[in-house]
Every structure is written in structure tokens, then in C-alpha cells.
């Protein structure tokens, strides 16, 4: 079909006296087509009046679209079952032209931000290789909306503590804070509500006030509102993480900062500018940071276990042996783990993130050679039993070999029986148990109780002599 420009050219050439043959040759169209245009004497493209094959089934299509949940394949199957001679292509073309079952296409909007007004923050999951192992980590990113200055960090988890650590690093990197920080209704910040009705967690609201900004959230489903921070995630995954392996999480985030410096100093075609140059303007509009920013920390209350370790986030850190069983306070910061018994006794470890369930021991907490507990040494309970009743030493030796309970627990139970029951009944029951090879301490306790009942309590109706 000829366009309006071709039709105009045919009419203009004909008005100048050019023959139909010459018009056909110059414009490379057939002579019958030239004759039709000259006969119509109009530059407008005629509309094709073609009946729609699906028009007779319009109401049926609308009814089936609702019952088939918008699936046109099922609609076509039901139409064919009812006897309609209609191809699937004709059905989809009809629905597309008539707007049936189609989401209306809306033009993309545009958000304009003045310098220093907004910074957007969001997270995205990525797979990274750290220390030879692959982890599913969370990439936290922050972008200044005017200059597009980018800052991001990657951590194995992203909780409220990690959010405060990241945002503190972001405002330090930007050397200032925007008036508001846009988030996506994340539970890390949001207490309740969404969009304009969002109420932040008091802890996070106080943190934002200290740095000079406030949290705001976009409406649910309005992802375009945070497009400034959503766009770089694909760039991070396909550029920074592509083909890179890291020795540690510190190495990863150190390289991430270097990569941010490089990207922020690179010309951006869609901006037609360098973010670092735009930031020179925006920096003047950022709120200055406080003279002193307190270090973000998280407190834990722990009891030192019997091996001399304190567990924080499934990783165990060593403390001095005399602290075993004592209550300590653990202060977790971005880089350190401070374990405090009191003001004068504090142990500091480098904070580890992975792998989980590992033990970290400082050299000064390692027992000196030969100072540890020797396996050949007797248990304290065994020493107490032999000192109190030397005659049961052979039974204790056999109990350690043939008893079904853990040796330490069995010795503790035997020591309890010796201390709680009369000595004569205890020794007699042990002697009988040794004679028959009985090492079930629960049964031994019942044997002791039978002797105690026989010796110290009245059996039957017999009255003691001398009573009235």
C-alpha cells in the first residue's frame, strides 16, 4: 500500500505534465497503481473496510474471557467447541485491535529531583564467591537522585543493624545527607503502613534524625518511583560481580568502593554528564554531617560456655578460661566483637561473617602446653567418691567400663546417692549390685530406697515397743 508521501509525489508529477509511464519508472510503482491514485485524486491513504471474523462472537468472547481467567488459548478452545470457525490468530488480532483483555499502555513518566532533595536506598539478592565458597548475599545500594552518585555494599545478611551500618557508610561516602531517603516499604525500616502512611521503627527514625534525613516510602506497586536505585543493580551483577572472586567480605566491599569511585567518575550517556561533576553541585545542597557520628553497634548478653567461648551469630569467640560460666556483655560493631566482663576486662575480636559455626581463638586464650585437662586424670566426682567411700572403688571402675550413661553423669549420680542416703544402706546396695553385675544407677537407687524403708520406717501394723 502506498504511503501518503508517495501519493503526493504521483499527483505533483502528474500536475507537472510527467507521463504515467515516467512516474511509474521514477517512483518504482506499477502503472495500474498510478492510475488508481490519479483516479482517486487524493493523498490520504484509504482505510480498509474488512469485516472482522470474530465480530459475530464478540459477546461470547467477553463472557469466555471472564470464565477462562483471561487465557485466550482456552477462549479459542471453547469457541471451537461451540462451532465457531475462527483461527487463534484472528482471535488474538481482534482482541488486540478492540482492546479486549489488553492492559492499556501508559506512557512512562519522569521524576525530576533538585540537588540534595532525595537519596534512594534498596537491596537486591546476588550470588557471590567469597573465600572459595558461593553465598547468596544482599546488595545494599544508595543513589543520589540528582547527580546519580552510587554507593553499594554486599553482606551475607541485611538486618536492621546492617542497614544502619550501610547508611552510615553511604552518608560518609557522600559527605552529607539528602533531605529524605526513599525506601521500598522494607520491614527493616517500616513499623506499619505503606507509602505516605508509612511509620518507621522508632529506632530507625532516631537514627535518621541523628544523620539529618527522614525515611519515606513509595506507594505499593509504584516501582518506577525508586528507579534511580533499581537501575544499577543489573549493572552491578553483570559488571562488578562478573568473573570476580573475593578472598573475604572486607576484600569484596573494598573492591566495591573502588568500583564505585571508577563508575562515578565515568561519563554517562543517558545523563550526558559525569556523576562526580554533577555531585560537585549537589554537594553544596546536602545537609552537613554531625561533628561526631557514634559507631553503630548491637548489644548481646551471653554466658561463657564450658569450653571458654561466646557465641555471636552462630560464630564462637574465645575468652580467658577464668571467665567460664560468667555473664558477659558483647558489643558487635561493623568490624569488631568486644566482649566485656567488667570495665577492666575486655576482649576484642575481629568480626567474622562466614563461615558459620566456626571457632575463633586468640593466641593468649590458648592453654599452655601441658596445662590442659589430661584425659588420664580422674574425674572430680570420682575422687570425691573414693575419698568418701574407698570400698566402692572396684564398683566405680566397673561402672566406668560397663555403665550405659556418660561417665561424668554416672559419677555425679552415684555421688548424689552417697550424699543423700544413709551410708550403710548405700554401701550395702552397692555391694549387692557389684555381686550381681548391676550398673543401672536408677535401679541401684531403688535398691537403696528398699533398704531405707526396711530400716527406718515401720512395715505393717506392728507398733513399736513402749508405746501406749
Amino acid at each position: 500500500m502506498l504511503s501518503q508521501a508517495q501519493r503526493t509525489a504521483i499527483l505533483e508529477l502528474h500536475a507537472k505534465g510527467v507521463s504515467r509511464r515516467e512516474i511509474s519508472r521514477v517512483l518504482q510503482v506499477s502503472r495500474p497503481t498510478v492510475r488508481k491514485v490519479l483516479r482517486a485524486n487524493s493523498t490520504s491513504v484509504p482505510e480498509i473496510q474488512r469485516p472482522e471474523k470474530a465480530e459475530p462472537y464478540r459477546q461470547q468472547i467477553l463472557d469466555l474471557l471472564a470464565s477462562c481467567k483471561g487465557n485466550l488459548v482456552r477462549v479459542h478452545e471453547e469457541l471451537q467447541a461451540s462451532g465457531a470457525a475462527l483461527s487463534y490468530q484472528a482471535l488474538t488480532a481482534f482482541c488486540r485491535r478492540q482492546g479486549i483483555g489488553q492492559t492499556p499502555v501508559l506512557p512512562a513518566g519522569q521524576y525530576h529531583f533538585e540537588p540534595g532533595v532525595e537519596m534512594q536506598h534498596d537491596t537486591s539478592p546476588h550470588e557471590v564467591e567469597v573465600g572459595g565458597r558461593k553465598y547468596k548475599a544482599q546488595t545494599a545500594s544508595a543513589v543520589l537522585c540528582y547527580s546519580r552518585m552510587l554507593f553499594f555494599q554486599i553482606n551475607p545478611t541485611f538486618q536492621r543493624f546492617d542497614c544502619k551500618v550501610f547508611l552510615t557508610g553511604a552518608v560518609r561516602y557522600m559527605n552529607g545527607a539528602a533531605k529524605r531517603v526513599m525506601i521500598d516499604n522494607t520491614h527493616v525500616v517500616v513499623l506499619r503502613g505503606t507509602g505516605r502512611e508509612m511509620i518507621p521503627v522508632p529506632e530507625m527514625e532516631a537514627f535518621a534524625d541523628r544523620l539529618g534525613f527522614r525515611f519515606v516510602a513509595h506507594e505499593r506497586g509504584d516501582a518506577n518511583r525508586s528507579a534511580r536505585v533499581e537501575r544499577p543493580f543489573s549493572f552491578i551483577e553483570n559488571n562488578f560481580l562478573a568473573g570476580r572472586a573475593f578472598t573475604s567480605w572486607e576484600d569484596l566491599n573494598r573492591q566495591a568502593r573502588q568500583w564505585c569511585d571508577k563508575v562515578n567518575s565515568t561519563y554517562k550517556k543517558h545523563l550526558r554528564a559525569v556523576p562526580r561533576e554533577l555531585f560537585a553541585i549537589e554537594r553544596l545542597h546536602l545537609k552537613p554531617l554531625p561533628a561526631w557520628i557514634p559507631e553503630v553497634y548491637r548489644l548481646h548478653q551471653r554466658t561463657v560456655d564450658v569450653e571458654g567461648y561466646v557465641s555471636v551469630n552462630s560464630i564462637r569467640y574465645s575468652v580467658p578460661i577464668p571467665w567460664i560460666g560468667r555473664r558477659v556483655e558483647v558489643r558487635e560493631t561493623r568490624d569488631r566483637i568486644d566482649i566485656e566482663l567488667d570495665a577492666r576486662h575486655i576482649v576484642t575480636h575481629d568480626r567474622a561473617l562466614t563461615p558459620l559455626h566456626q571457632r575463633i581463638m586468640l593466641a593468649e586464650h590458648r592453654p599452655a602446653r601441658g596445662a590442659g585437662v589430661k584425659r588420664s586424670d580422674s574425674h572430680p566426682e570420682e575422687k570425691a567418691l573414693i575419698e568418701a567411700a574407698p570400698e566402692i572403688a572396684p564398683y566405680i571402675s566397673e561402672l566406668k567400663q560397663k555403665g550405659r550413661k556418660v561417665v561424668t553423669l554416672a559419677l555425679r549420680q552415684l555421688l548424689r546417692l552417697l550424699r543423700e542416703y544413709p551410708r550403710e544402706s548405700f554401701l550395702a546396695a552397692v555391694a549387692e549390685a557389684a555381686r550381681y553385675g548391676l550398673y543401672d544407677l536408677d535401679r541401684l537407687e531403688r535398691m537403696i530406697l528398699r533398704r531405707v524403708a526396711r530400716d527406718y520406717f515401720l512395715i505393717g501394723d506392728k507398733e513399736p515397743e513402749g508405746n501406749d
Side-chain angles (χ1 to χ4, degrees):
M1 180 177 292
L2 296 182
S3 65
Q4 185 176 2
Q6 290 174 312
R7 293 172 182 275
T8 302
I10 291 173
L11 293 176
E12 289 180 354
L13 290 174
H14 179 70
K16 293 178 180 180
V18 181
S19 66
R20 297 177 183 178
R21 182 186 296 272
E22 187 65 16
I23 295 175
S24 174
R25 186 185 64 79
V26 172
L27 299 181
Q28 296 183 355
V29 295
S30 65
R31 280 178 287 175
T33 302
V34 174
R35 284 195 297 269
K36 288 181 181 179
V37 172
L38 294 176
R39 192 181 304 118
N41 195 24
S42 173
T43 59
S44 60
V45 181
E47 295 184 1
I48 300 177
Q49 300 296 330
R50 182 186 301 167
E52 293 276 6
K53 291 185 178 180
E55 185 62 37
Y57 310 101
R58 182 186 182 87
Q59 188 58 45
Q60 189 176 358
I61 291 173
L62 293 175
D63 296 339
L64 288 173
L65 196 66
S67 62
C68 295
K69 300 180 179 180
N71 191 327
L72 287 179
V73 175
R74 289 287 302 121
V75 171
H76 182 248
E77 291 175 353
E78 293 296 326
L79 286 174
Q80 286 187 322
S82 64
L86 185 66
S87 67
Y88 178 72
Q89 290 78 6
L91 172 64
T92 55
F94 173 76
C95 292
R96 185 167 56 251
R97 284 191 290 267
Q98 299 296 323
I100 298 175
Q102 304 291 320
T103 302
V105 179
L106 299 176
Q110 185 179 13
Y111 292 99
H112 177 72
F113 299 96
E114 295 296 331
V117 172
E118 181 172 305
M119 179 174 74
Q120 295 182 359
H121 161 57
D122 200 2
T123 60
S124 179
H126 289 120
E127 189 175 82
V128 297
E129 184 175 339
V130 178
R133 298 178 60 180
K134 290 187 177 181
Y135 296 93
K136 288 185 177 179
Q138 291 290 329
T139 301
S141 176
V143 176
L144 287 175
C145 292
Y146 175 78
S147 62
R148 311 295 179 89
M149 281 283 288
L150 169 67
F151 177 78
F152 76 93
Q153 289 180 347
I154 301 180
N155 293 290
T157 60
F158 195 77
Q159 301 172 352
R160 198 162 292 154
F161 167 75
D162 303 298
C163 180
K164 291 194 288 185
V165 169
F166 168 74
L167 289 176
T168 301
V171 296
R172 286 183 184 275
Y173 182 79
M174 309 297 182
N175 198 23
K179 294 181 181 179
R180 61 175 181 256
V181 173
M182 174 64 67
I183 59 173
D184 65 342
N185 300 292
T186 172
H187 69 281
V188 173
V189 177
V190 176
L191 177 64
R192 63 178 179 270
T194 59
R196 294 183 179 180
E197 299 178 356
M198 186 274 294
I199 298 177
V201 176
E203 174 187 352
M204 300 302 292
E205 188 174 17
F207 168 77
D209 290 340
R210 185 165 62 242
L211 294 181
F213 63 85
R214 62 185 178 89
F215 287 108
V216 295
H218 63 68
E219 296 298 332
R220 182 173 295 177
D222 187 13
N224 290 336
R225 180 63 179 80
S226 58
R228 294 284 201 278
V229 72
E230 293 286 354
R231 182 173 184 173
F233 283 127
S234 176
F235 188 34
I236 292 171
E237 181 176 8
N238 298 310
N239 187 295
F240 174 70
L241 294 178
R244 280 190 172 94
F246 310 95
T247 59
S248 63
W249 294 99
E250 294 78 11
D251 175 49
L252 188 158
N253 287 314
R254 182 171 55 254
Q255 293 191 40
R257 187 181 183 112
Q258 295 172 356
W259 188 81
C260 286
D261 293 338
K262 177 182 176 182
V263 169
N264 291 330
S265 302
T266 304
Y267 178 83
K268 302 299 180 185
K269 185 169 59 176
H270 62 283
L271 292 178
R272 297 187 179 182
V274 177
R276 183 71 67 179
E277 296 175 354
L278 296 177
F279 177 69
I281 301 174
E282 187 167 23
R283 182 177 179 180
L284 302 176
H285 297 81
L286 296 177
K287 291 185 177 181
L289 299 178
W292 178 72
I293 301 177
E295 188 175 22
V296 179
Y297 65 88
R298 180 165 52 185
L299 286 179
H300 310 272
Q301 299 295 327
R302 295 289 187 270
T303 300
V304 182
D305 63 22
V306 295
E307 297 181 5
Y309 289 90
V310 170
S311 179
V312 181
N313 302 327
S314 300
I315 297 177
R316 302 173 69 188
Y317 299 89
S318 67
V319 297
I321 298 301
W323 294 15
I324 292 178
R326 304 285 297 276
R327 191 77 173 172
V328 295
E329 183 180 81
V330 181
R331 181 183 293 253
E332 178 186 6
T333 64
R334 187 190 68 175
D335 302 317
R336 303 189 320 277
I337 296 290
D338 295 328
I339 306 173
E340 179 179 341
L341 180 63
D342 53 47
R344 295 183 178 86
H345 298 86
I346 300 176
V347 173
T348 301
H349 287 266
D350 291 333
R351 179 171 176 250
L353 300 178
T354 55
L356 300 180
H357 309 295
Q358 63 171 311
R359 299 184 183 189
I360 300 176
M361 174 176 281
L362 298 180
E364 57 266 27
H365 299 157
R366 192 179 301 277
R369 185 178 295 275
V373 178
K374 298 180 180 179
R375 295 191 178 186
S376 59
D377 292 348
S378 301
H379 296 272
E381 295 83 359
E382 183 178 358
K383 292 182 179 180
L385 283 167
I386 294 177
E387 289 176 0
E391 56 270 41
I392 67 172
Y395 183 79
I396 294 175
S397 178
E398 293 296 324
L399 175 66
K400 291 166 61 177
Q401 298 293 328
K402 301 177 181 179
R404 294 186 177 181
K405 289 188 177 181
V406 177
V407 174
T408 302
L409 299 180
L411 293 176
R412 287 178 184 175
Q413 184 175 359
L414 190 62
L415 181 60
R416 178 182 63 80
L417 298 179
L418 174 61
R419 290 173 176 174
E420 291 183 355
Y421 296 110
R423 181 181 180 87
E424 294 77 10
S425 301
F426 172 79
L427 294 177
V430 170
E432 183 179 1
R435 184 166 63 254
Y436 291 105
L438 300 176
Y439 301 101
D440 184 348
L441 296 185
D442 296 329
R443 186 173 179 182
L444 175 65
E445 186 171 11
R446 293 196 295 270
M447 294 168 62
I448 296 173
L449 288 171
R450 283 200 298 270
R451 283 173 169 74
V452 171
R454 184 173 63 246
D455 296 341
Y456 291 90
F457 299 96
L458 297 176
I459 306 299
D461 297 331
K462 184 179 178 179
E463 294 289 339
E465 297 181 0
N467 289 346
D468 297 334

